[in-house]
Amino acid sequence: MNAAKRKEIFRRLHEDNPEPKTELAYSSPFELLIAVILSAQATDVGVNKATAKLYPVANTPEAIYALGVEGLSEYIKTIGLFNSKAKNVIETCRLLIERHGSQVPQTREELEALPGVGRKTANVVLNTAFRQLTMAVDTHIFRVSNRTGIAPGKNVQEVEKQLMKFVPKEFLLDAHHWLILHGRYVCQARKPRCGSCRIEDLCEYKHKTSDD
């Protein structure tokens, strides 16, 4: 895919949604960090239902740590893998209190040192909470990048590298939100909704569908 096509794709995505946002509900970097940890192999809707009950009761490292694993599990038991996630969140809260003055760190290295935080989670927090130029490649972004031809790659690291290189600089800060939303609602896994797609004429996917 050439640079002109990529620029027009992101120009249209920007035109349709000038200020894209994550669908996870949060009101602080800490709330976002916990929501993203909980969102692994779970839906944003499911995470939001759990945090809507949790955050009014506990939304600081100290308050969640005080709940303990069992106490936290009660709030998040509707989310997949809640037992291991509860352990990771409690340990993350302990480390935030002990090492970071209860603040969410703003470097990838420090974030990835927290339990339950991998590269993708760190990139989401850095981009969404701190507005750093990072690219969090999830299954939606991996699929859209390969299917459209925007940034093909064999694995998430390759796609991340390609996107950071090829997405026009003026669109890079919000690109991961546009790509996630496009993958979630239009360029879906089983059957992409090509007939409703804003960028169908620019997309290089060879097996386009109708919306019938």
PDB file of all heavy atoms in Angstrom, residues 7 16 29 50-51 55 73 75 86 94 98 100 108 113 115 133-135 144 146 155 179-180 185 193 197:
ATOM      1  N   LYS A   7      -2.649   7.731   3.846  1.00  0.00           N
ATOM      2  CA  LYS A   7      -3.016   9.071   4.331  1.00  0.00           C
ATOM      3  C   LYS A   7      -4.513   9.308   4.142  1.00  0.00           C
ATOM      4  O   LYS A   7      -5.181   9.849   5.035  1.00  0.00           O
ATOM      5  CB  LYS A   7      -2.207  10.144   3.599  1.00  0.00           C
ATOM      6  CG  LYS A   7      -2.431  11.540   4.164  1.00  0.00           C
ATOM      7  CD  LYS A   7      -1.337  12.506   3.726  1.00  0.00           C
ATOM      8  CE  LYS A   7      -1.502  13.836   4.451  1.00  0.00           C
ATOM      9  NZ  LYS A   7      -0.370  14.742   4.176  1.00  0.00           N
ATOM     10  N   ASP A  16     -14.558  11.124  10.170  1.00  0.00           N
ATOM     11  CA  ASP A  16     -15.753  10.492  10.743  1.00  0.00           C
ATOM     12  C   ASP A  16     -15.757  10.503  12.270  1.00  0.00           C
ATOM     13  O   ASP A  16     -16.818  10.462  12.897  1.00  0.00           O
ATOM     14  CB  ASP A  16     -15.870   9.039  10.263  1.00  0.00           C
ATOM     15  CG  ASP A  16     -16.202   8.955   8.777  1.00  0.00           C
ATOM     16  OD1 ASP A  16     -16.498  10.006   8.171  1.00  0.00           O
ATOM     17  OD2 ASP A  16     -16.157   7.834   8.230  1.00  0.00           O
ATOM     18  N   PRO A  29      -5.501   7.807  35.306  1.00  0.00           N
ATOM     19  CA  PRO A  29      -4.571   6.827  34.742  1.00  0.00           C
ATOM     20  C   PRO A  29      -4.599   5.495  35.491  1.00  0.00           C
ATOM     21  O   PRO A  29      -4.493   4.429  34.874  1.00  0.00           O
ATOM     22  CB  PRO A  29      -3.210   7.519  34.875  1.00  0.00           C
ATOM     23  CG  PRO A  29      -3.529   8.973  34.795  1.00  0.00           C
ATOM     24  CD  PRO A  29      -4.840   9.109  35.535  1.00  0.00           C
ATOM     25  N   ALA A  50     -18.094  -4.410  35.586  1.00  0.00           N
ATOM     26  CA  ALA A  50     -17.415  -4.740  36.843  1.00  0.00           C
ATOM     27  C   ALA A  50     -16.832  -3.496  37.508  1.00  0.00           C
ATOM     28  O   ALA A  50     -16.996  -3.286  38.713  1.00  0.00           O
ATOM     29  CB  ALA A  50     -16.317  -5.768  36.585  1.00  0.00           C
ATOM     30  N   THR A  51     -16.167  -2.659  36.720  1.00  0.00           N
ATOM     31  CA  THR A  51     -15.537  -1.479  37.328  1.00  0.00           C
ATOM     32  C   THR A  51     -16.567  -0.438  37.774  1.00  0.00           C
ATOM     33  O   THR A  51     -16.289   0.360  38.664  1.00  0.00           O
ATOM     34  CB  THR A  51     -14.516  -0.828  36.375  1.00  0.00           C
ATOM     35  OG1 THR A  51     -15.165  -0.475  35.143  1.00  0.00           O
ATOM     36  CG2 THR A  51     -13.349  -1.767  36.088  1.00  0.00           C
ATOM     37  N   TYR A  55     -15.115   0.748  41.216  1.00  0.00           N
ATOM     38  CA  TYR A  55     -14.473   2.056  41.377  1.00  0.00           C
ATOM     39  C   TYR A  55     -15.159   2.990  42.380  1.00  0.00           C
ATOM     40  O   TYR A  55     -14.458   3.760  43.052  1.00  0.00           O
ATOM     41  CB  TYR A  55     -14.300   2.747  40.017  1.00  0.00           C
ATOM     42  CG  TYR A  55     -13.237   2.113  39.143  1.00  0.00           C
ATOM     43  CD1 TYR A  55     -13.212   2.336  37.774  1.00  0.00           C
ATOM     44  CD2 TYR A  55     -12.242   1.298  39.690  1.00  0.00           C
ATOM     45  CE1 TYR A  55     -12.230   1.758  36.958  1.00  0.00           C
ATOM     46  CE2 TYR A  55     -11.263   0.717  38.897  1.00  0.00           C
ATOM     47  CZ  TYR A  55     -11.270   0.948  37.534  1.00  0.00           C
ATOM     48  OH  TYR A  55     -10.296   0.376  36.744  1.00  0.00           O
ATOM     49  N   SER A  73     -11.876 -10.108  44.004  1.00  0.00           N
ATOM     50  CA  SER A  73     -12.501 -11.148  43.161  1.00  0.00           C
ATOM     51  C   SER A  73     -14.014 -11.034  43.142  1.00  0.00           C
ATOM     52  O   SER A  73     -14.654 -11.309  42.118  1.00  0.00           O
ATOM     53  CB  SER A  73     -12.089 -12.545  43.638  1.00  0.00           C
ATOM     54  OG  SER A  73     -10.706 -12.743  43.450  1.00  0.00           O
ATOM     55  N   TYR A  75     -15.783  -8.439  43.079  1.00  0.00           N
ATOM     56  CA  TYR A  75     -16.198  -7.386  42.145  1.00  0.00           C
ATOM     57  C   TYR A  75     -15.966  -7.770  40.681  1.00  0.00           C
ATOM     58  O   TYR A  75     -16.660  -7.266  39.803  1.00  0.00           O
ATOM     59  CB  TYR A  75     -15.439  -6.083  42.435  1.00  0.00           C
ATOM     60  CG  TYR A  75     -15.888  -5.390  43.698  1.00  0.00           C
ATOM     61  CD1 TYR A  75     -15.191  -5.558  44.901  1.00  0.00           C
ATOM     62  CD2 TYR A  75     -17.013  -4.563  43.703  1.00  0.00           C
ATOM     63  CE1 TYR A  75     -15.598  -4.925  46.062  1.00  0.00           C
ATOM     64  CE2 TYR A  75     -17.429  -3.924  44.857  1.00  0.00           C
ATOM     65  CZ  TYR A  75     -16.721  -4.114  46.038  1.00  0.00           C
ATOM     66  OH  TYR A  75     -17.136  -3.489  47.187  1.00  0.00           O
ATOM     67  N   ALA A  86      -7.160 -10.925  39.585  1.00  0.00           N
ATOM     68  CA  ALA A  86      -7.229 -10.339  40.930  1.00  0.00           C
ATOM     69  C   ALA A  86      -5.854 -10.364  41.590  1.00  0.00           C
ATOM     70  O   ALA A  86      -5.419  -9.377  42.196  1.00  0.00           O
ATOM     71  CB  ALA A  86      -8.246 -11.087  41.786  1.00  0.00           C
ATOM     72  N   ARG A  94       0.336  -3.076  45.089  1.00  0.00           N
ATOM     73  CA  ARG A  94       1.417  -3.070  46.094  1.00  0.00           C
ATOM     74  C   ARG A  94       2.670  -2.411  45.523  1.00  0.00           C
ATOM     75  O   ARG A  94       3.302  -1.569  46.187  1.00  0.00           O
ATOM     76  CB  ARG A  94       1.729  -4.505  46.535  1.00  0.00           C
ATOM     77  CG  ARG A  94       2.794  -4.597  47.635  1.00  0.00           C
ATOM     78  CD  ARG A  94       3.119  -6.034  47.990  1.00  0.00           C
ATOM     79  NE  ARG A  94       3.896  -6.693  46.944  1.00  0.00           N
ATOM     80  CZ  ARG A  94       5.209  -6.528  46.765  1.00  0.00           C
ATOM     81  NH1 ARG A  94       5.893  -5.698  47.541  1.00  0.00           N
ATOM     82  NH2 ARG A  94       5.838  -7.183  45.805  1.00  0.00           N
ATOM     83  N   GLU A  98       4.614   0.962  46.745  1.00  0.00           N
ATOM     84  CA  GLU A  98       5.979   0.843  47.275  1.00  0.00           C
ATOM     85  C   GLU A  98       7.026   1.535  46.393  1.00  0.00           C
ATOM     86  O   GLU A  98       7.976   2.127  46.897  1.00  0.00           O
ATOM     87  CB  GLU A  98       6.355  -0.629  47.441  1.00  0.00           C
ATOM     88  CG  GLU A  98       5.609  -1.314  48.573  1.00  0.00           C
ATOM     89  CD  GLU A  98       6.057  -2.756  48.773  1.00  0.00           C
ATOM     90  OE1 GLU A  98       7.002  -3.210  48.075  1.00  0.00           O
ATOM     91  OE2 GLU A  98       5.459  -3.436  49.619  1.00  0.00           O
ATOM     92  N   HIS A 100       6.328   3.559  43.347  1.00  0.00           N
ATOM     93  CA  HIS A 100       5.972   4.688  42.473  1.00  0.00           C
ATOM     94  C   HIS A 100       5.112   5.755  43.161  1.00  0.00           C
ATOM     95  O   HIS A 100       4.485   6.558  42.478  1.00  0.00           O
ATOM     96  CB  HIS A 100       5.243   4.166  41.232  1.00  0.00           C
ATOM     97  CG  HIS A 100       6.040   3.182  40.430  1.00  0.00           C
ATOM     98  ND1 HIS A 100       7.137   3.544  39.683  1.00  0.00           N
ATOM     99  CD2 HIS A 100       5.910   1.830  40.291  1.00  0.00           C
ATOM    100  CE1 HIS A 100       7.646   2.465  39.089  1.00  0.00           C
ATOM    101  NE2 HIS A 100       6.923   1.412  39.451  1.00  0.00           N
ATOM    102  N   ARG A 108       7.438   2.640  29.409  1.00  0.00           N
ATOM    103  CA  ARG A 108       7.057   1.263  29.080  1.00  0.00           C
ATOM    104  C   ARG A 108       7.770   0.274  30.000  1.00  0.00           C
ATOM    105  O   ARG A 108       7.174  -0.702  30.461  1.00  0.00           O
ATOM    106  CB  ARG A 108       7.364   0.949  27.623  1.00  0.00           C
ATOM    107  CG  ARG A 108       6.966  -0.478  27.234  1.00  0.00           C
ATOM    108  CD  ARG A 108       7.327  -0.845  25.821  1.00  0.00           C
ATOM    109  NE  ARG A 108       6.415  -0.256  24.871  1.00  0.00           N
ATOM    110  CZ  ARG A 108       6.738   0.649  23.973  1.00  0.00           C
ATOM    111  NH1 ARG A 108       7.983   1.088  23.911  1.00  0.00           N
ATOM    112  NH2 ARG A 108       5.854   1.130  23.142  1.00  0.00           N
ATOM    113  N   ALA A 113       7.006  -3.908  34.100  1.00  0.00           N
ATOM    114  CA  ALA A 113       7.491  -4.583  35.311  1.00  0.00           C
ATOM    115  C   ALA A 113       6.345  -4.905  36.270  1.00  0.00           C
ATOM    116  O   ALA A 113       6.544  -5.613  37.267  1.00  0.00           O
ATOM    117  CB  ALA A 113       8.537  -3.720  36.013  1.00  0.00           C
ATOM    118  N   PRO A 115       2.814  -6.752  37.371  1.00  0.00           N
ATOM    119  CA  PRO A 115       2.145  -8.014  37.037  1.00  0.00           C
ATOM    120  C   PRO A 115       0.894  -7.784  36.177  1.00  0.00           C
ATOM    121  O   PRO A 115       0.107  -6.870  36.444  1.00  0.00           O
ATOM    122  CB  PRO A 115       1.750  -8.591  38.398  1.00  0.00           C
ATOM    123  CG  PRO A 115       2.658  -7.929  39.368  1.00  0.00           C
ATOM    124  CD  PRO A 115       2.923  -6.563  38.825  1.00  0.00           C
ATOM    125  N   LEU A 133       3.217   8.669  21.806  1.00  0.00           N
ATOM    126  CA  LEU A 133       3.083   8.045  20.486  1.00  0.00           C
ATOM    127  C   LEU A 133       3.439   6.565  20.577  1.00  0.00           C
ATOM    128  O   LEU A 133       4.582   6.163  20.383  1.00  0.00           O
ATOM    129  CB  LEU A 133       4.001   8.743  19.477  1.00  0.00           C
ATOM    130  CG  LEU A 133       3.608  10.168  19.081  1.00  0.00           C
ATOM    131  CD1 LEU A 133       4.677  10.775  18.189  1.00  0.00           C
ATOM    132  CD2 LEU A 133       2.259  10.196  18.376  1.00  0.00           C
ATOM    133  N   THR A 134       2.441   5.747  20.917  1.00  0.00           N
ATOM    134  CA  THR A 134       2.628   4.300  20.972  1.00  0.00           C
ATOM    135  C   THR A 134       1.506   3.638  20.185  1.00  0.00           C
ATOM    136  O   THR A 134       0.484   4.264  19.896  1.00  0.00           O
ATOM    137  CB  THR A 134       2.598   3.777  22.420  1.00  0.00           C
ATOM    138  OG1 THR A 134       1.314   4.074  22.998  1.00  0.00           O
ATOM    139  CG2 THR A 134       3.692   4.404  23.269  1.00  0.00           C
ATOM    140  N   MET A 135       1.696   2.371  19.863  1.00  0.00           N
ATOM    141  CA  MET A 135       0.707   1.630  19.085  1.00  0.00           C
ATOM    142  C   MET A 135       0.415   0.300  19.782  1.00  0.00           C
ATOM    143  O   MET A 135       1.270  -0.592  19.807  1.00  0.00           O
ATOM    144  CB  MET A 135       1.242   1.379  17.671  1.00  0.00           C
ATOM    145  CG  MET A 135       0.245   0.787  16.721  1.00  0.00           C
ATOM    146  SD  MET A 135      -1.138   1.889  16.345  1.00  0.00           S
ATOM    147  CE  MET A 135      -0.283   3.254  15.547  1.00  0.00           C
ATOM    148  N   VAL A 144      -7.044  -5.839  10.990  1.00  0.00           N
ATOM    149  CA  VAL A 144      -7.285  -4.715  10.073  1.00  0.00           C
ATOM    150  C   VAL A 144      -6.010  -4.335   9.331  1.00  0.00           C
ATOM    151  O   VAL A 144      -6.026  -4.090   8.121  1.00  0.00           O
ATOM    152  CB  VAL A 144      -7.854  -3.496  10.839  1.00  0.00           C
ATOM    153  CG1 VAL A 144      -7.894  -2.258   9.950  1.00  0.00           C
ATOM    154  CG2 VAL A 144      -9.252  -3.808  11.364  1.00  0.00           C
ATOM    155  N   ASN A 146      -3.434  -6.195   8.555  1.00  0.00           N
ATOM    156  CA  ASN A 146      -3.094  -7.202   7.551  1.00  0.00           C
ATOM    157  C   ASN A 146      -4.126  -7.266   6.430  1.00  0.00           C
ATOM    158  O   ASN A 146      -3.774  -7.326   5.253  1.00  0.00           O
ATOM    159  CB  ASN A 146      -2.954  -8.582   8.212  1.00  0.00           C
ATOM    160  CG  ASN A 146      -1.568  -8.797   8.796  1.00  0.00           C
ATOM    161  OD1 ASN A 146      -0.603  -8.965   8.069  1.00  0.00           O
ATOM    162  ND2 ASN A 146      -1.476  -8.776  10.114  1.00  0.00           N
ATOM    163  N   ASN A 155       3.349 -11.080  13.012  1.00  0.00           N
ATOM    164  CA  ASN A 155       3.010 -11.092  14.438  1.00  0.00           C
ATOM    165  C   ASN A 155       2.753  -9.664  14.904  1.00  0.00           C
ATOM    166  O   ASN A 155       2.936  -8.707  14.145  1.00  0.00           O
ATOM    167  CB  ASN A 155       4.133 -11.755  15.254  1.00  0.00           C
ATOM    168  CG  ASN A 155       5.490 -11.111  14.989  1.00  0.00           C
ATOM    169  OD1 ASN A 155       5.640  -9.891  15.091  1.00  0.00           O
ATOM    170  ND2 ASN A 155       6.488 -11.918  14.635  1.00  0.00           N
ATOM    171  N   LEU A 179      -8.299   2.241  14.490  1.00  0.00           N
ATOM    172  CA  LEU A 179      -8.167   0.877  13.974  1.00  0.00           C
ATOM    173  C   LEU A 179      -8.934  -0.132  14.824  1.00  0.00           C
ATOM    174  O   LEU A 179      -9.550  -1.065  14.292  1.00  0.00           O
ATOM    175  CB  LEU A 179      -6.684   0.494  13.876  1.00  0.00           C
ATOM    176  CG  LEU A 179      -5.876   1.272  12.828  1.00  0.00           C
ATOM    177  CD1 LEU A 179      -4.387   0.980  12.975  1.00  0.00           C
ATOM    178  CD2 LEU A 179      -6.353   0.957  11.415  1.00  0.00           C
ATOM    179  N   ILE A 180      -8.913   0.033  16.145  1.00  0.00           N
ATOM    180  CA  ILE A 180      -9.687  -0.865  17.023  1.00  0.00           C
ATOM    181  C   ILE A 180     -11.177  -0.741  16.717  1.00  0.00           C
ATOM    182  O   ILE A 180     -11.876  -1.747  16.533  1.00  0.00           O
ATOM    183  CB  ILE A 180      -9.433  -0.538  18.512  1.00  0.00           C
ATOM    184  CG1 ILE A 180      -8.081  -1.067  18.962  1.00  0.00           C
ATOM    185  CG2 ILE A 180     -10.535  -1.160  19.397  1.00  0.00           C
ATOM    186  CD1 ILE A 180      -7.720  -0.684  20.381  1.00  0.00           C
ATOM    187  N   TYR A 185     -16.303  -2.866  14.726  1.00  0.00           N
ATOM    188  CA  TYR A 185     -17.655  -2.601  14.221  1.00  0.00           C
ATOM    189  C   TYR A 185     -17.810  -2.739  12.700  1.00  0.00           C
ATOM    190  O   TYR A 185     -18.925  -2.885  12.219  1.00  0.00           O
ATOM    191  CB  TYR A 185     -18.099  -1.197  14.645  1.00  0.00           C
ATOM    192  CG  TYR A 185     -18.206  -1.078  16.144  1.00  0.00           C
ATOM    193  CD1 TYR A 185     -17.310  -0.288  16.865  1.00  0.00           C
ATOM    194  CD2 TYR A 185     -19.174  -1.796  16.846  1.00  0.00           C
ATOM    195  CE1 TYR A 185     -17.384  -0.211  18.247  1.00  0.00           C
ATOM    196  CE2 TYR A 185     -19.247  -1.721  18.233  1.00  0.00           C
ATOM    197  CZ  TYR A 185     -18.359  -0.926  18.923  1.00  0.00           C
ATOM    198  OH  TYR A 185     -18.424  -0.864  20.290  1.00  0.00           O
ATOM    199  N   ARG A 193     -17.771  -6.058   7.074  1.00  0.00           N
ATOM    200  CA  ARG A 193     -18.932  -5.346   6.520  1.00  0.00           C
ATOM    201  C   ARG A 193     -18.455  -4.371   5.437  1.00  0.00           C
ATOM    202  O   ARG A 193     -18.548  -3.161   5.573  1.00  0.00           O
ATOM    203  CB  ARG A 193     -19.672  -4.637   7.644  1.00  0.00           C
ATOM    204  CG  ARG A 193     -20.217  -5.596   8.708  1.00  0.00           C
ATOM    205  CD  ARG A 193     -20.879  -4.874   9.879  1.00  0.00           C
ATOM    206  NE  ARG A 193     -21.961  -4.040   9.418  1.00  0.00           N
ATOM    207  CZ  ARG A 193     -22.107  -2.752   9.743  1.00  0.00           C
ATOM    208  NH1 ARG A 193     -21.207  -2.163  10.523  1.00  0.00           N
ATOM    209  NH2 ARG A 193     -23.118  -2.051   9.280  1.00  0.00           N
ATOM    210  N   CYS A 197     -18.297   0.001   4.599  1.00  0.00           N
ATOM    211  CA  CYS A 197     -16.968   0.470   4.988  1.00  0.00           C
ATOM    212  C   CYS A 197     -16.599   1.774   4.298  1.00  0.00           C
ATOM    213  O   CYS A 197     -16.666   1.887   3.077  1.00  0.00           O
ATOM    214  CB  CYS A 197     -15.930  -0.606   4.657  1.00  0.00           C
ATOM    215  SG  CYS A 197     -14.256  -0.110   5.089  1.00  0.00           S
TER     216      CYS A 197
END
